[in-house]
Amino acid sequence: MKEFVFDKKEYLSYKDFYKDIAIKMDSIKIEDYFDASTFEYNANILWEFLCCEFGYAKKAIKIILKNFDIQNLNSGKNYDDYCTNIVIEILQDFVTEFPNSKLEFINEN
């Protein structure tokens, strides 16, 4: 099972989060109709990528989210939190749809 670790402390905005997903999951090597280096900051494109690259291909992955304050993100106090929460919801939906993959939250104190 391949692991992908994403640490909230490394991102200034939700756009950095999208870019890091693209880099770590090697989507930038894929030529398609969308900008794979950012998923065009679109949750639907991220969903399609996850399904095609990992879900339908039956490649099990483990996604580790470090230092993401879910309660704060769910409150949607600002636009960036709102958009970051959408990305997390896509990841949660993915592991629900494809249970051979896992999602884990780790918070450092």
Side-chain angles (χ1 to χ4, degrees), residues 1-6 24-25 60-64 102 104 106:
M1 178 178 285
K2 189 166 184 176
E3 287 189 7
F4 300 100
V5 178
F6 303 100
K24 289 180 179 171
M25 292 188 174
I61 62 172
K62 182 176 184 179
I63 302 165
I64 300 170
K102 306 288 180 225
E104 181 180 327
I106 299 173

Side-chain angles (χ1 to χ4, degrees), residues 48-66:
E48 182 179 327
F49 169 78
L50 291 169
C51 290
C52 292
E53 279 299 303
F54 302 108
Y56 303 140
K58 298 187 188 318
K59 295 179 187 174
I61 62 172
K62 182 176 184 179
I63 302 165
I64 300 170
L65 300 179
K66 291 177 66 177

Side-chain angles (χ1 to χ4, degrees), residues 57-107:
K58 298 187 188 318
K59 295 179 187 174
I61 62 172
K62 182 176 184 179
I63 302 165
I64 300 170
L65 300 179
K66 291 177 66 177
N67 302 309
F68 283 84
D69 182 357
I70 299 305
Q71 288 183 336
N72 187 39
L73 293 171
N74 284 336
S75 69
K77 291 182 181 177
N78 61 51
Y79 185 72
D80 196 71
D81 288 348
Y82 172 78
C83 292
T84 301
N85 190 51
I86 290 173
V87 174
I88 293 171
E89 286 176 357
I90 291 298
L91 298 175
Q92 290 172 323
D93 290 348
F94 176 75
V95 298
T96 299
E97 182 78 21
F98 301 97
N100 61 325
S101 293
K102 306 288 180 225
L103 178 64
E104 181 180 327
F105 291 91
I106 299 173
N107 290 311

Side-chain angles (χ1 to χ4, degrees), residues 27-34 36:
S27 74
I28 56 176
K29 296 178 184 176
I30 298 171
E31 292 185 27
D32 209 335
Y33 64 90
F34 60 84

